[in-house]
Amino acid sequence: GVRLVGSEMCIRDSRSKCLKFFEVSRMDVLCKTDADVAEKENLEQTAQLELICAGLAAGTSIIDGVPQSKAIDTTIKALKAFNISVDKIPSMIMGCIALQITGNGHPVANADYIDCGESITALRHFLPLAATLNCPLSFMGRGELANYTLQPYYDIFDEQGIQHFACDGALPVTVNGRLQPGTFSFGENVNSCL
């Protein structure tokens, strides 16, 4: 497994704004002001990826310093839908949560659908994973995510014979098949969120 422990401190700059430093692993430091929404979203996306990696690994991982958000809740629910154990444990960082995640290295579908809420990060990582399981799994979403084009994924699925059923190319979508290893590329015109 993986063990990531974060720390947080507050210092004042010359304008008396509080700057927060969040230490991830290996001394990677992210700096943000309390009002900086873009950095908050980046921190959430980084935490989501840490949770997904921990869930796909064989063994138990502990991740501390996870921000509390709807995107994190969505990721936790999705991990559980892949039969990955996720438990909240006491955090060493005020305002954050710590999670103990146990995966066996071979996720299986433990649900009929995954609700990605408004999280493109959850959708873009769990959709291809579902396409490896050789059983039908549906994805839903809300807000802008519900209308987000998934055509780049569908093109790859078509090349590999992965079944996919969607309404007008957007969510909800059901995938079924066994995606084979390979190198996959998206065109330059694809939004970087994919």
Side-chain angles (χ1 to χ4, degrees):
V2 179
R3 183 170 179 86
L4 298 175
V5 178
S7 63
E8 188 174 1
M9 64 181 150
C10 182
I11 62 171
R12 301 271 175 204
D13 69 3
S14 61
R15 296 176 306 249
S16 293
K17 289 189 177 178
C18 183
L19 300 176
K20 289 186 179 179
F21 292 86
F22 181 79
E23 182 178 320
V24 187
S25 63
R26 292 178 297 281
M27 299 304 288
D28 296 329
V29 178
L30 300 173
C31 177
K32 71 178 186 72
T33 63
D34 287 343
D36 192 345
V37 175
E39 285 296 330
K40 179 179 179 279
E41 290 174 358
N42 185 38
L43 186 59
E44 285 177 356
Q45 289 175 358
T46 300
Q48 284 179 282
L49 296 178
E50 291 171 353
L51 299 180
I52 293 168
C53 289
L56 296 177
T60 298
S61 303
I62 295 174
I63 302 178
D64 199 353
V66 178
Q68 297 182 38
S69 70
K70 290 180 184 178
I72 295 298
D73 291 341
T74 295
T75 302
I76 291 169
K77 289 176 186 172
L79 287 169
K80 290 179 178 182
F82 285 102
N83 207 30
I84 296 167
S85 172
V86 182
D87 297 303
K88 288 185 180 180
I89 59 175
S91 176
M92 297 174 18
I93 301 167
M94 187 182 308
C96 293
I97 58 174
L99 299 168
Q100 179 173 305
I101 301 171
T102 305
N104 67 7
H106 304 284
V108 296
N110 192 30
D112 296 327
Y113 71 93
I114 294 176
D115 184 353
C116 292
E118 297 181 24
S119 175
I120 186 66
T121 301
L123 179 64
R124 71 185 175 118
H125 288 88
F126 290 119
L127 184 62
L129 177 60
T132 67
L133 301 179
N134 205 27
C135 67
L137 189 57
S138 298
F139 289 83
M140 293 183 261
R142 289 181 291 291
E144 292 181 26
L145 183 61
N147 298 316
Y148 207 83
T149 180
L150 298 171
Q151 192 58 49
Y153 289 102
Y154 299 155
D155 293 342
I156 293 169
F157 294 165
D158 289 341
E159 289 174 15
Q160 294 221 355
I162 305 293
Q163 297 175 337
H164 55 91
F165 311 98
C167 181
D168 297 325
L171 296 180
V173 62
T174 300
V175 296
N176 184 11
R178 187 164 306 276
L179 187 66
Q180 297 302 308
T183 301
F184 306 99
S185 300
F186 294 117
E188 292 180 18
N189 60 339
V190 174
N191 184 314
S192 63
C193 285
L194 283 179

